[in-house]
DNA sequence: CGGCATCCTAACAGATACTG
DNA sequence: CAGTATCTGTTAGGATGCCG
């Protein structure tokens, strides 16, 4: 598990890594807390990662995205797109035609996030079965004894 | 950027990768949408990732976590811990002492997620400045013209 | 110390109808 | 086609107080 590769002290390294080696993996300080908070603000909502993922395959129009992302409402699609655009993760290009055509695409910044998102998807792909097993086991233990029976 | 390393078709590969090579990075299908949804269900809330991060440094007691994670309420800490435990990401060990002592720790499953979370934190660490720049620029453009002046 | 129960609110998100 | 606008419901999450 090479979890340090992304932690290069790129420019003048503001980070001070205080290691606590007692645990399974270590390397976590207060700043990470802030970083996680920030990225949750960016893509921690219900749709942002899905939109970014949908754009991984290349540019797409508004209606394409509406189709590609199951069950999203036009309202949420619009809000999510605006937000991602504000954050600089996607670009919006409107063509002055009739009927109007608008294309969305990942910026370099957005594409760089894709790798991290796919990491999450990969984890989920590999472990979701195990997660379900734990959930079921936990729920069985919790449910047992609630209706003590006759 | 080796974004394919996590996508190994480990066992009997249920995945069928339909590539669309028109975009910047490609490799995204419908299943990924589901995977992202699932992992957002797991750790897409406000505190789960922070708790997991806090446990990266090793076992911790309830009150330790309360201290380590700024601004979390006891209610949310309790709820988050229970949830993570149900998902099999953390373990809870209660020692029958007075005063009571309870230790939380990452399971193997939880530790394996840590790598993906740190990926996100690393991205945020590297790019949050740029994100802010985009946001500010966007907001300046949006604000300009709203009060047209005398 | 380590919770759980209760109340309350704000943000998130869905449905629907309308517009340029 | 690509959005806005409004109205409404659901739920995450905060504050507080009590209990084993």
């Amino acid at each position: 598990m090479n979890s340090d590769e992304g932690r290069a002290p790129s420019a003048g390294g503001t980070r001070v890594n205080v290691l606590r080696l007692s645990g399974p993996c270590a390397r976590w300080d207060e700043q990470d807390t802030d970083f996680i908070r920030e990225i949750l603000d960016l893509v921690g909502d219900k749709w942002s990662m899905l939109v970014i993922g949908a754009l991984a395959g290349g540019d797409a129009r508004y209606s394409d995205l509406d189709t590609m992302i199951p069950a999203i409402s036009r309202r949420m699609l619009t809000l999510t797109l605006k937000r991602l655009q504000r954050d600089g993760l996607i670009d919006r290009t409107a063509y002055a035609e009739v009927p109007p055509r608008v294309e969305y695409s990942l910026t370099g910044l957005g594409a760089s996030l894709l790798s991290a998102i796919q990491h999450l998807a990969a984890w989920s792909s590999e472990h979701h079965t195990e997660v379900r097993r734990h959930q079921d086991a936990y729920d069985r233990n919790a449910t047992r004894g609630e209706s003590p029976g006759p």
Side-chain angles (χ1 to χ4, degrees), chain A:
Chain A
M1 267 165 239
N2 46 352
S3 57
D4 14 8
E5 64 170 14
R7 186 51 46 81
S10 44
T14 13
R15 294 177 56 87
V16 181
N17 287 316
V18 183
L19 306 189
R20 294 176 54 189
L21 296 175
S22 51
C25 205
R27 272 174 177 280
W28 187 273
D29 57 50
E30 291 179 47
Q31 294 200 52
D32 287 316
T33 300
D34 295 334
F35 294 147
I36 289 298
R37 272 209 249 262
E38 282 172 30
I39 210 173
L40 284 179
D41 266 14
L42 285 187
V43 295
D45 65 300
K46 194 173 179 180
W47 302 109
S48 294
M49 288 198 191
L50 299 182
V51 169
I52 292 174
L55 288 174
D59 302 14
R61 313 176 52 161
Y62 184 87
S63 49
D64 290 340
L65 293 170
D66 200 9
T67 307
M68 296 167 71
I69 304 172
I72 195 174
S73 63
R74 293 211 300 300
R75 172 183 139 83
M76 287 319 293
L77 180 55
T78 302
L79 287 179
T80 305
L81 287 170
K82 273 197 138 160
R83 190 158 186 205
L84 293 177
Q85 191 192 349
R86 181 177 109 100
D87 299 334
L89 298 177
I90 67 175
D91 268 340
R92 194 193 105 118
T93 317
Y95 299 90
E97 310 170 353
V98 277
R101 182 165 60 101
V102 179
E103 297 235 311
Y104 291 94
S105 60
L106 286 181
T107 62
L109 196 59
S112 73
L113 224 191
L114 197 55
S115 150
I117 291 177
Q118 283 174 327
H119 226 79
L120 283 176
W123 187 93
S124 186
S125 164
E126 290 166 25
H127 299 292
H128 68 109
T129 318
E130 196 176 349
V131 170
R132 285 241 199 273
R133 272 204 3 258
H134 280 282
Q135 290 173 342
D136 291 349
Y138 186 99
D139 292 346
R140 255 193 306 280
N141 284 1
T143 311
R144 157 161 16 130
E146 286 190 353
S147 55

